[in-house]
Coordinates of all heavy atoms in Angstrom, one line a residue:
M272 N 95.0 106.3 106.6 CA 95.5 106.5 105.4 C 96.9 106.1 105.2 O 97.7 106.2 106.1 CB 95.5 108.1 105.0 CG 95.7 108.5 103.6 SD 95.2 110.1 103.3 CE 96.5 111.0 104.1
K273 N 97.2 105.6 104.1 CA 98.5 105.0 104.0 C 99.6 106.0 103.4 O 100.8 105.5 103.2 CB 98.5 103.8 103.0 CG 97.7 102.6 103.7 CD 97.4 101.5 102.6 CE 96.5 100.4 103.3 NZ 96.1 99.4 102.3
L274 N 99.3 107.1 103.1 CA 100.2 108.0 102.4 C 100.7 108.9 103.5 O 100.0 109.4 104.4 CB 99.5 108.8 101.4 CG 98.9 108.0 100.2 CD1 97.8 108.7 99.4 CD2 100.0 107.4 99.4
R275 N 102.0 109.3 103.3 CA 102.6 110.3 104.2 C 103.3 111.4 103.4 O 103.6 111.3 102.2 CB 103.7 109.6 104.9 CG 103.1 108.6 106.0 CD 104.3 107.9 106.8 NE 103.8 106.7 107.4 CZ 104.6 105.7 107.8 NH1 105.8 105.8 107.5 NH2 104.1 104.7 108.3
K276 N 103.6 112.4 104.2 CA 104.4 113.5 103.6 C 105.7 113.0 103.0 O 106.4 112.2 103.7 CB 104.6 114.5 104.7 CG 105.3 115.8 104.4 CD 105.4 116.8 105.6 CE 106.3 117.9 105.2 NZ 106.5 118.8 106.3
G277 N 106.0 113.4 101.9 CA 107.4 113.0 101.4 C 107.2 111.9 100.4 O 108.2 111.5 99.6
D278 N 106.0 111.2 100.4 CA 105.9 110.1 99.5 C 105.7 110.5 98.0 O 105.2 111.7 97.8 CB 104.6 109.3 99.7 CG 104.7 108.5 101.0 OD1 105.8 108.2 101.5 OD2 103.6 108.0 101.5
T279 N 106.2 109.8 97.0 CA 106.0 110.1 95.6 C 104.7 109.3 95.3 O 104.6 108.2 95.5 CB 107.2 109.7 94.8 OG1 108.3 110.4 95.2 CG2 107.0 109.9 93.3
I280 N 103.8 110.0 94.5 CA 102.6 109.3 94.1 C 102.4 109.5 92.6 O 103.0 110.5 92.0 CB 101.4 109.9 94.9 CG1 101.3 111.4 94.8 CG2 101.5 109.4 96.4 CD1 100.5 112.0 93.6
L281 N 101.5 108.8 92.1 CA 101.1 108.8 90.7 C 99.5 109.2 90.8 O 98.9 108.5 91.5 CB 101.3 107.6 90.0 CG 100.7 107.4 88.6 CD1 101.5 108.3 87.6 CD2 100.7 106.0 88.1
V282 N 99.1 110.1 90.1 CA 97.7 110.5 90.1 C 97.0 109.5 89.0 O 97.5 109.4 87.9 CB 97.5 112.0 89.6 CG1 96.0 112.3 89.7 CG2 98.3 112.9 90.6
I283 N 96.0 108.9 89.5 CA 95.4 107.9 88.6 C 93.9 108.3 88.1 O 93.5 107.7 87.2 CB 95.3 106.5 89.2 CG1 94.5 106.7 90.7 CG2 96.5 105.8 89.4 CD1 94.2 105.4 91.3
S284 N 93.4 109.4 88.6 CA 92.2 109.9 88.0 C 92.1 111.4 88.2 O 92.8 112.0 89.0 CB 91.1 109.1 88.6 OG 90.7 109.8 89.9
G285 N 91.1 112.0 87.5 CA 90.9 113.4 87.6 C 91.8 114.1 86.4 O 92.4 113.5 85.6
N286 N 91.9 115.4 86.5 CA 92.5 116.3 85.5 C 94.0 116.0 85.5 O 94.6 116.2 84.4 CB 92.2 117.8 85.8 CG 90.7 118.1 85.7 OD1 90.0 117.4 84.9 ND2 90.4 119.2 86.3
N287 N 94.5 115.6 86.6 CA 96.0 115.4 86.5 C 96.5 114.0 86.4 O 97.5 113.7 86.7 CB 96.6 116.1 87.9 CG 96.3 117.5 88.0 OD1 96.9 118.2 87.2 ND2 95.5 118.0 88.8
A288 N 95.5 113.1 85.9 CA 95.8 111.7 85.7 C 97.2 111.4 85.0 O 97.4 112.1 83.9 CB 94.7 110.9 85.1
G289 N 98.0 110.6 85.5 CA 99.3 110.3 84.9 C 100.4 111.2 85.3 O 101.6 110.8 85.0
K290 N 100.2 112.2 86.2 CA 101.3 113.0 86.7 C 101.9 112.4 88.0 O 101.1 111.7 88.8 CB 100.8 114.4 86.9 CG 100.7 115.2 85.7 CD 100.3 116.6 86.1 CE 99.8 117.4 84.8 NZ 99.3 118.7 85.3
R291 N 103.1 112.5 88.1 CA 103.7 112.2 89.4 C 104.2 113.4 90.2 O 104.4 114.5 89.6 CB 105.1 111.4 89.1 CG 104.7 109.9 88.7 CD 106.0 109.1 88.7 NE 105.6 107.9 88.0 CZ 106.4 106.8 88.2 NH1 107.5 106.8 89.0 NH2 106.2 105.6 87.6
G292 N 104.1 113.2 91.5 CA 104.5 114.3 92.3 C 104.8 113.9 93.8 O 104.7 112.7 94.1
K293 N 105.4 114.8 94.6 CA 105.8 114.5 95.9 C 104.6 115.1 96.9 O 104.3 116.2 96.7 CB 107.1 115.1 96.2 CG 107.7 114.5 97.4 CD 109.2 115.0 97.4 CE 110.1 114.0 98.2 NZ 111.5 114.4 98.2
I294 N 104.3 114.4 97.8 CA 103.3 114.8 98.9 C 104.0 115.9 99.7 O 105.0 115.5 100.3 CB 102.8 113.7 99.7 CG1 101.9 112.7 98.8 CG2 101.9 114.2 100.8 CD1 101.4 111.6 99.5
I295 N 103.4 117.1 99.7 CA 104.0 118.0 100.6 C 103.1 118.2 101.9 O 103.5 118.8 102.9 CB 104.1 119.5 100.0 CG1 102.9 119.8 99.2 CG2 105.3 119.4 98.9 CD1 103.0 121.2 98.5
Q296 N 101.9 117.7 101.8 CA 101.1 117.7 103.1 C 100.1 116.6 103.0 O 99.5 116.3 102.0 CB 100.3 119.1 103.2 CG 99.8 119.3 104.5 CD 99.0 120.6 104.5 OE1 98.9 121.4 103.6 NE2 98.5 120.9 105.8
A297 N 99.9 115.8 104.0 CA 99.0 114.7 104.2 C 97.9 115.2 105.2 O 98.0 115.7 106.2 CB 99.6 113.4 104.7
L298 N 96.7 115.0 104.6 CA 95.5 115.4 105.5 C 94.6 114.1 105.8 O 93.6 113.9 105.2 CB 94.6 116.4 104.8 CG 95.4 117.7 104.2 CD1 94.6 118.4 103.2 CD2 95.7 118.6 105.3
P299 N 95.0 113.4 106.8 CA 94.3 112.1 107.0 C 92.9 112.3 107.4 O 92.1 111.5 107.1 CB 95.1 111.5 108.2 CG 96.4 112.3 108.3 CD 96.1 113.6 107.7
K300 N 92.5 113.4 108.0 CA 91.2 113.6 108.5 C 90.2 113.7 107.4 O 89.1 113.1 107.4 CB 91.0 114.8 109.4 CG 91.4 114.5 110.7 CD 91.2 115.7 111.7 CE 91.7 115.5 113.1 NZ 92.0 116.7 113.8
S301 N 90.6 114.3 106.2 CA 89.7 114.6 105.2 C 90.1 113.5 104.0 O 89.6 113.5 102.9 CB 89.7 115.9 104.6 OG 91.1 116.4 104.5
N302 N 91.1 112.7 104.2 CA 91.6 111.6 103.4 C 92.1 112.3 102.1 O 91.8 111.9 100.9 CB 90.5 110.6 103.1 CG 91.1 109.3 102.6 OD1 92.0 108.9 103.1 ND2 90.4 108.6 101.6
K303 N 92.8 113.4 102.2 CA 93.3 114.1 101.0 C 94.8 114.3 101.2 O 95.4 114.3 102.3 CB 92.7 115.4 100.9 CG 91.2 115.3 100.4 CD 90.5 116.7 100.4 CE 89.1 116.5 100.0 NZ 88.8 116.6 98.7
V304 N 95.5 114.6 100.1 CA 96.8 115.0 100.1 C 97.1 116.1 99.2 O 96.4 116.4 98.2 CB 97.7 113.8 99.6 CG1 97.8 112.6 100.6 CG2 97.3 113.3 98.2
V305 N 98.1 116.9 99.6 CA 98.5 118.0 98.8 C 99.8 117.6 98.1 O 100.8 117.2 98.8 CB 98.8 119.3 99.7 CG1 99.2 120.4 98.8 CG2 97.6 119.7 100.5
V306 N 99.9 117.7 96.8 CA 101.0 117.2 95.9 C 101.6 118.4 95.3 O 100.9 119.2 94.6 CB 100.5 116.1 95.1 CG1 101.8 115.5 94.3 CG2 99.7 115.0 95.8
E307 N 102.9 118.4 95.3 CA 103.7 119.4 94.6 C 103.4 119.5 93.1 O 103.5 118.5 92.5 CB 105.2 119.0 94.8 CG 106.2 120.2 94.6 CD 107.6 119.6 95.0 OE1 107.9 118.5 94.7 OE2 108.3 120.4 95.7
G308 N 103.0 120.6 92.7 CA 102.8 120.8 91.3 C 101.5 120.2 90.7 O 101.3 120.2 89.5
I309 N 100.7 119.6 91.5 CA 99.5 118.9 91.0 C 98.2 119.7 91.5 O 98.2 120.2 92.7 CB 99.4 117.5 91.6 CG1 100.6 116.6 91.2 CG2 98.1 116.8 91.1 CD1 100.6 116.1 89.9
N310 N 97.2 119.9 90.7 CA 96.0 120.5 91.0 C 96.2 122.1 91.5 O 95.8 122.5 92.6 CB 95.3 119.8 92.2 CG 93.8 120.2 92.2 OD1 93.3 120.7 91.2 ND2 93.1 119.9 93.4
I311 N 97.0 122.7 90.7 CA 97.4 124.1 90.9 C 96.1 125.0 90.9 O 95.4 125.0 89.9 CB 98.5 124.6 90.0 CG1 99.7 123.9 90.2 CG2 98.7 126.1 90.2 CD1 100.4 124.0 91.6
R312 N 95.9 125.8 91.8 CA 94.7 126.8 91.9 C 95.4 128.2 92.0 O 96.5 128.4 92.5 CB 93.9 126.5 93.1 CG 93.1 125.2 93.0 CD 92.0 125.2 91.9 NE 91.7 123.9 91.7 CZ 90.8 123.2 92.4 NH1 90.3 123.8 93.4 NH2 90.4 122.0 92.1
K313 N 94.6 129.1 91.5 CA 95.1 130.6 91.6 C 94.3 131.2 92.6 O 92.9 131.0 92.6 CB 94.9 131.3 90.2 CG 96.1 130.8 89.3 CD 96.0 131.6 88.0 CE 97.1 131.1 87.1 NZ 96.8 131.1 85.8
K314 N 94.8 132.0 93.4 CA 94.1 132.7 94.4 C 94.4 134.1 94.3 O 95.5 134.6 94.1 CB 94.6 132.1 95.8 CG 93.8 132.5 96.9 CD 94.3 131.8 98.2 CE 93.3 132.0 99.4 NZ 93.9 131.2 100.5
H315 N 93.4 135.0 94.3 CA 93.6 136.4 94.3 C 93.7 137.0 95.7 O 92.8 136.8 96.5 CB 92.3 137.1 93.6 CG 92.2 136.6 92.2 ND1 92.6 137.4 91.0 CD2 91.8 135.4 91.6 CE1 92.5 136.7 89.9 NE2 92.0 135.4 90.3
V316 N 94.8 137.6 96.0 CA 95.1 138.0 97.2 C 95.1 139.5 97.3 O 95.7 140.2 96.5 CB 96.5 137.5 97.7 CG1 96.7 137.9 99.1 CG2 96.6 136.0 97.4
K317 N 94.4 140.0 98.3 CA 94.5 141.5 98.6 C 95.7 141.9 99.2 O 96.2 141.1 100.0 CB 93.2 141.8 99.4 CG 91.9 141.9 98.7 CD 90.9 142.4 99.7 CE 89.5 142.3 98.9 NZ 88.3 142.5 99.9
P318 N 96.2 143.1 99.0 CA 97.4 143.5 99.6 C 97.2 143.5 101.1 O 96.2 144.0 101.7 CB 97.6 145.0 99.1 CG 96.8 144.9 97.8 CD 95.6 144.1 98.0
T319 N 98.2 143.0 101.8 CA 98.2 143.0 103.3 C 99.5 143.5 103.7 O 100.4 143.7 102.9 CB 97.9 141.6 103.9 OG1 98.9 140.7 103.5 CG2 96.5 141.1 103.4
Q320 N 99.7 143.5 105.0 CA 101.0 143.9 105.6 C 102.1 142.9 105.2 O 103.2 143.3 104.9 CB 100.9 144.1 107.0 CG 100.2 145.5 107.4 CD 100.5 145.9 108.8 OE1 100.7 145.0 109.7 NE2 100.4 147.2 109.0
T321 N 101.7 141.7 105.2 CA 102.8 140.6 105.0 C 103.0 140.5 103.4 O 104.0 140.2 103.0 CB 102.4 139.2 105.5 OG1 101.0 138.9 105.1 CG2 102.5 139.2 107.0
A322 N 102.0 140.8 102.6 CA 102.1 140.7 101.1 C 101.6 142.1 100.6 O 100.5 142.1 100.1 CB 101.3 139.5 100.7
P323 N 102.4 143.0 100.6 CA 101.9 144.4 100.2 C 101.6 144.5 98.6 O 100.7 145.4 98.5 CB 103.2 145.3 100.5 CG 104.3 144.4 100.8 CD 103.8 143.0 100.9
Q324 N 102.0 143.7 98.0 CA 101.6 143.7 96.5 C 100.3 143.1 96.2 O 99.6 143.5 95.3 CB 102.7 142.9 95.7 CG 104.1 143.7 95.5 CD 103.9 145.0 94.9 OE1 103.2 145.2 93.8 NE2 104.5 146.1 95.4
G325 N 99.9 142.1 97.0 CA 98.6 141.4 96.6 C 98.8 140.7 95.4 O 99.9 140.2 95.1
G326 N 97.8 140.6 94.6 CA 97.9 139.9 93.3 C 97.4 138.6 93.3 O 96.5 138.1 94.1
I327 N 98.0 137.7 92.4 CA 97.4 136.4 92.3 C 98.5 135.4 92.6 O 99.7 135.5 92.2 CB 97.1 136.1 90.8 CG1 96.1 137.1 90.3 CG2 96.6 134.6 90.7 CD1 95.9 137.0 88.8
T328 N 98.3 134.5 93.6 CA 99.2 133.5 93.9 C 98.8 132.2 93.5 O 97.6 131.9 93.5 CB 99.4 133.4 95.4 OG1 98.3 133.3 96.2 CG2 100.3 134.7 95.9
E329 N 99.8 131.3 93.2 CA 99.3 129.9 92.8 C 99.7 129.0 93.9 O 100.7 129.1 94.4 CB 100.0 129.5 91.6 CG 99.7 130.4 90.3 CD 100.2 129.8 89.0 OE1 101.2 128.9 89.1 OE2 99.7 130.1 88.0
F330 N 98.9 128.0 94.1 CA 99.1 127.0 95.2 C 98.4 125.7 94.8 O 97.4 125.6 94.2 CB 98.6 127.6 96.6 CG 97.1 127.5 96.6 CD1 96.4 126.6 97.3 CD2 96.4 128.7 96.1 CE1 95.0 126.6 97.3 CE2 95.0 128.8 96.0 CZ 94.3 127.7 96.7
P331 N 99.1 124.6 95.3 CA 98.4 123.3 95.0 C 97.4 123.0 96.0 O 97.5 123.2 97.2 CB 99.6 122.3 95.2 CG 100.6 123.0 96.1 CD 100.4 124.5 96.0
A332 N 96.2 122.7 95.5 CA 95.0 122.4 96.3 C 94.9 120.9 96.7 O 95.5 120.1 95.9 CB 93.7 122.8 95.6
P333 N 94.3 120.6 97.7 CA 94.3 119.1 98.2 C 93.6 118.2 97.1 O 92.6 118.7 96.5 CB 93.6 119.0 99.5 CG 93.7 120.5 100.0 CD 93.8 121.4 98.8
I334 N 94.0 117.0 96.9 CA 93.3 116.1 96.1 C 93.0 114.8 96.9 O 93.7 114.6 97.9 CB 94.0 115.7 94.8 CG1 95.4 115.1 95.0 CG2 94.1 116.9 93.8 CD1 96.2 114.6 93.8
D335 N 92.0 114.2 96.5 CA 91.6 112.9 97.2 C 92.5 111.9 97.2 O 93.1 111.6 96.2 CB 90.2 112.5 96.8 CG 89.4 111.7 97.8 OD1 89.6 110.5 98.0 OD2 88.6 112.3 98.4
A336 N 92.9 111.3 98.4 CA 93.8 110.2 98.4 C 93.5 109.0 97.7 O 94.3 108.2 97.3 CB 94.1 109.8 99.9
S337 N 92.2 108.8 97.4 CA 91.8 107.6 96.5 C 92.2 107.8 95.0 O 92.0 106.9 94.3 CB 90.2 107.4 96.7 OG 89.6 108.5 96.2
N338 N 92.5 109.1 94.7 CA 92.9 109.3 93.2 C 94.4 109.1 93.0 O 94.8 109.4 91.9 CB 92.3 110.7 92.9 CG 90.9 110.9 92.8 OD1 90.2 109.9 92.8 ND2 90.5 112.1 92.9
V339 N 95.1 108.8 94.0 CA 96.6 108.6 93.8 C 96.9 107.2 94.3 O 96.3 106.6 95.0 CB 97.4 109.7 94.7 CG1 96.9 111.1 94.2 CG2 97.3 109.3 96.1
M340 N 98.2 106.9 93.6 CA 98.7 105.5 94.0 C 100.2 106.0 94.5 O 100.9 106.7 93.9 CB 98.8 104.7 92.9 CG 97.7 103.7 92.7 SD 97.9 102.6 91.3 CE 98.3 101.1 92.2
L341 N 100.6 105.2 95.6 CA 101.9 105.4 96.0 C 102.9 104.8 95.0 O 102.7 103.7 94.4 CB 102.1 104.7 97.4 CG 103.5 104.8 98.0 CD1 103.9 106.2 98.5 CD2 103.5 103.9 99.2
V342 N 104.0 105.5 94.8 CA 105.0 104.9 93.9 C 106.2 104.4 94.8 O 106.7 105.1 95.6 CB 105.6 106.0 93.0 CG1 106.8 105.5 92.1 CG2 104.6 106.5 92.0
C343 N 106.3 103.1 94.6 CA 107.3 102.4 95.5 C 108.7 103.0 95.2 O 109.2 103.2 94.1 CB 107.3 101.0 95.2 SG 108.7 100.1 96.1
N344 N 109.4 103.4 96.3 CA 110.7 104.0 96.1 C 111.9 103.0 95.8 O 113.0 103.3 95.7 CB 111.1 105.0 97.2 CG 111.0 104.3 98.6 OD1 111.0 103.1 98.7 ND2 111.2 105.1 99.7
K345 N 111.5 101.7 95.9 CA 112.5 100.7 95.6 C 112.4 100.1 94.2 O 113.4 100.0 93.5 CB 112.3 99.5 96.6 CG 112.4 99.9 98.1 CD 113.9 99.9 98.5 CE 114.2 100.6 99.8 NZ 113.1 100.5 100.8
C346 N 111.1 99.9 93.8 CA 110.9 99.4 92.4 C 110.4 100.4 91.4 O 110.1 100.0 90.3 CB 110.1 98.1 92.4 SG 108.5 98.2 93.0
N347 N 110.2 101.6 91.9 CA 109.8 102.7 91.1 C 108.5 102.5 90.2 O 108.4 102.8 89.1 CB 110.9 103.1 90.1 CG 110.7 104.6 89.6 OD1 110.1 105.4 90.3 ND2 111.3 104.8 88.4
T348 N 107.6 101.8 90.9 CA 106.3 101.5 90.2 C 105.1 101.8 91.1 O 105.3 101.7 92.3 CB 106.2 99.8 90.0 OG1 107.5 99.4 89.5 CG2 105.2 99.5 89.1
P349 N 104.0 102.2 90.4 CA 102.9 102.6 91.3 C 102.3 101.3 91.8 O 102.1 100.3 91.1 CB 101.9 103.2 90.3 CG 102.7 103.4 89.0 CD 103.8 102.6 89.0
V350 N 102.3 101.2 93.1 CA 101.9 99.9 93.7 C 100.8 100.0 94.9 O 100.5 101.1 95.4 CB 103.1 99.3 94.4 CG1 104.1 98.8 93.4 CG2 103.7 100.1 95.4
R351 N 100.1 99.0 95.2 CA 99.3 99.0 96.3 C 100.3 98.4 97.5 O 101.2 97.8 97.3 CB 98.2 97.9 96.2 CG 97.0 98.6 95.3 CD 95.9 97.5 95.2 NE 96.5 96.3 94.6 CZ 96.2 95.1 95.1 NH1 95.5 95.0 96.2 NH2 96.7 93.9 94.6
I352 N 100.0 99.0 98.7 CA 100.8 98.5 99.8 C 100.0 97.8 100.9 O 98.8 97.9 101.0 CB 101.6 99.7 100.4 CG1 100.6 100.8 100.8 CG2 102.7 100.2 99.6 CD1 101.1 102.0 101.6
K353 N 100.8 97.0 101.6 CA 100.1 96.5 102.8 C 100.8 97.0 104.1 O 102.0 97.3 104.0 CB 100.1 95.0 102.7 CG 101.5 94.4 102.7 CD 101.3 92.8 102.6 CE 102.7 92.1 102.5 NZ 102.7 90.7 102.4
I354 N 100.1 96.8 105.2 CA 100.8 97.3 106.5 C 101.2 96.1 107.3 O 100.4 95.1 107.5 CB 99.7 98.1 107.3 CG1 99.2 99.2 106.5 CG2 100.4 98.5 108.6 CD1 100.2 100.4 106.4
N355 N 102.4 96.0 107.6 CA 103.0 94.9 108.5 C 103.3 95.5 109.8 O 103.7 96.5 109.9 CB 104.2 94.3 107.9 CG 103.9 93.2 106.9 OD1 102.7 92.9 106.6 ND2 105.0 92.5 106.4
R356 N 102.8 94.7 110.8 CA 103.2 95.1 112.1 C 104.4 94.3 112.7 O 104.4 93.1 112.6 CB 102.0 94.9 113.0 CG 102.0 95.6 114.4 CD 100.7 95.4 115.1 NE 99.6 96.3 114.5 CZ 99.4 97.5 114.9 NH1 100.2 98.1 115.8 NH2 98.5 98.2 114.4
L357 N 105.4 95.0 113.0 CA 106.6 94.4 113.6 C 106.4 93.9 115.0 O 105.4 94.2 115.7 CB 107.8 95.3 113.5 CG 108.2 95.9 112.2 CD1 109.3 96.9 112.2 CD2 108.5 94.8 111.2
E358 N 107.3 93.0 115.5 CA 107.1 92.5 116.9 C 107.1 93.6 117.9 O 106.5 93.4 119.0 CB 108.3 91.6 117.1 CG 108.0 90.1 116.5 CD 109.1 89.3 116.6 OE1 110.0 89.5 117.6 OE2 109.2 88.2 115.9
N359 N 107.9 94.7 117.6 CA 107.9 95.9 118.6 C 106.6 96.7 118.4 O 106.6 97.8 119.1 CB 109.2 96.6 118.4 CG 109.4 97.2 117.1 OD1 108.4 97.2 116.3 ND2 110.5 97.8 116.8
G360 N 105.7 96.4 117.6 CA 104.5 97.2 117.5 C 104.6 98.2 116.4 O 103.6 98.9 116.1
E361 N 105.6 98.4 115.7 CA 105.8 99.4 114.8 C 105.1 98.9 113.5 O 105.2 97.7 113.1 CB 107.3 99.6 114.5 CG 107.6 101.0 114.0 CD 109.1 101.1 113.7 OE1 110.0 100.6 114.4 OE2 109.5 101.6 112.6
R362 N 104.6 99.9 112.8 CA 103.9 99.5 111.5 C 104.8 100.0 110.4 O 105.3 101.1 110.4 CB 102.6 100.3 111.4 CG 101.5 99.7 112.4 CD 100.5 100.7 112.6 NE 99.5 101.0 111.7 CZ 99.2 102.2 111.1 NH1 99.9 103.2 111.5 NH2 98.5 102.2 110.1
V363 N 105.0 99.0 109.5 CA 105.7 99.4 108.3 C 104.9 99.1 107.2 O 104.0 98.2 107.0 CB 107.1 98.5 108.2 CG1 108.0 98.9 109.4 CG2 106.7 97.1 108.3
R364 N 105.2 99.9 106.0 CA 104.5 99.7 104.8 C 105.3 99.0 103.8 O 106.5 99.1 103.7 CB 104.1 101.1 104.3 CG 103.4 101.9 105.1 CD 103.1 103.3 104.6 NE 104.3 104.1 104.3 CZ 104.4 105.2 103.5 NH1 103.3 105.7 103.0 NH2 105.6 105.8 103.4
V365 N 104.6 97.9 103.3 CA 105.3 97.0 102.5 C 104.8 97.0 101.0 O 103.6 96.9 100.8 CB 105.3 95.5 103.0 CG1 106.0 94.6 102.1 CG2 106.0 95.5 104.3
C366 N 105.7 97.1 100.1 CA 105.2 97.1 98.6 C 104.7 95.8 98.3 O 105.3 94.8 98.5 CB 106.4 97.4 97.8 SG 106.1 97.2 96.0
R367 N 103.6 95.6 97.6 CA 102.9 94.3 97.3 C 103.7 93.8 96.0 O 103.5 92.6 95.7 CB 101.4 94.5 97.1 CG 100.7 94.6 98.3 CD 99.2 94.4 98.0 NE 98.4 94.8 99.1 CZ 97.9 93.9 100.0 NH1 98.3 92.6 99.9 NH2 97.2 94.3 101.0
K368 N 104.4 94.6 95.3 CA 105.1 94.1 94.2 C 106.4 93.4 94.5 O 106.7 92.4 94.1 CB 105.2 95.3 93.2 CG 105.3 94.9 91.8 CD 104.6 95.8 90.8 CE 104.3 95.1 89.5 NZ 103.4 95.9 88.7
C369 N 107.3 94.3 95.0 CA 108.7 93.7 95.3 C 108.8 93.2 96.7 O 109.8 92.6 97.0 CB 109.7 94.8 95.0 SG 109.6 96.3 96.1
G370 N 107.9 93.4 97.6 CA 107.9 92.9 99.0 C 108.9 93.6 99.9 O 109.0 93.2 101.0
R371 N 109.4 94.7 99.4 CA 110.3 95.4 100.3 C 109.6 96.6 101.0 O 108.5 97.1 100.6 CB 111.5 96.0 99.4 CG 112.5 94.9 99.2 CD 113.6 95.4 98.3 NE 113.1 95.8 97.0 CZ 113.9 96.1 95.9 NH1 115.2 96.3 96.1 NH2 113.5 96.3 94.8
E372 N 110.2 97.0 102.1 CA 109.7 98.1 102.9 C 109.7 99.3 102.2 O 110.6 99.7 101.6 CB 110.3 98.1 104.2 CG 109.7 99.0 105.2 CD 110.6 98.9 106.5 OE1 111.1 97.9 106.9 OE2 110.8 100.0 107.1
V373 N 108.6 100.1 102.2 CA 108.5 101.5 101.6 C 108.8 102.4 102.7 O 108.1 102.4 103.6 CB 107.1 101.7 100.9 CG1 107.2 103.1 100.3 CG2 106.8 100.5 99.9
S374 N 109.9 103.2 102.5 CA 110.2 104.1 103.6 C 109.6 105.5 103.4 O 109.2 105.7 102.3 CB 111.7 104.3 103.8 OG 112.2 104.7 102.5
Ligands
ZN1278 ZN1 108.3 97.9 95.2

């Protein structure tokens, strides 16, 4: 998966299409990402010792990585990226639009 925690993404399909957000968790095994403010679900929580009030909490649920596009932090555009391997074996992600490295 080409997405990492901290990346800004644009949602391209589903209920949240067109929204931008920041990845707060990447789940490479299931090919999903959790994005700040996107795909908010409500969970009814019973009172426990750590949360004595219980009640309803809202949390962002994971969405499929194929439904989002990385927004290049250099040209501020949703782009496809390619992986370049440097001579020292390090992999860097390169924006296909502006050709610069996406950090
Ligand atoms: Zn770019």
Side-chain angles (χ1 to χ4, degrees):
M272 192 166 74
K273 293 171 183 174
L274 301 164
R275 290 179 199 162
K276 185 179 173 182
D278 285 346
T279 300
I280 56 88
L281 173 73
V282 183
I283 52 172
S284 81
N286 294 334
N287 294 291
K290 287 188 192 167
R291 285 186 187 206
K293 198 172 205 175
I294 295 179
I295 50 179
Q296 196 182 358
L298 308 163
K300 276 183 188 160
S301 50
N302 206 37
K303 285 173 191 270
V304 290
V305 179
V306 186
E307 201 173 43
I309 306 278
N310 201 21
I311 296 297
R312 297 288 165 84
K313 287 183 177 144
K314 194 176 190 177
H315 298 257
V316 186
K317 282 182 185 169
T319 60
Q320 285 196 330
T321 48
Q324 287 298 312
I327 303 168
T328 52
E329 294 190 340
F330 67 101
I334 56 173
D335 204 276
S337 63
N338 291 342
V339 306
M340 269 183 102
L341 181 67
V342 175
C343 172
N344 54 10
K345 300 278 166 33
C346 57
N347 198 30
T348 314
V350 292
R351 286 178 303 129
I352 52 173
K353 63 179 177 184
I354 304 289
N355 270 4
R356 196 173 285 272
L357 301 179
E358 282 176 18
N359 63 10
E361 202 182 324
R362 290 155 76 235
V363 293
R364 301 180 299 167
V365 176
C366 170
R367 285 193 190 265
K368 201 146 206 166
C369 66
R371 281 177 290 186
E372 192 179 319
V373 180
S374 54

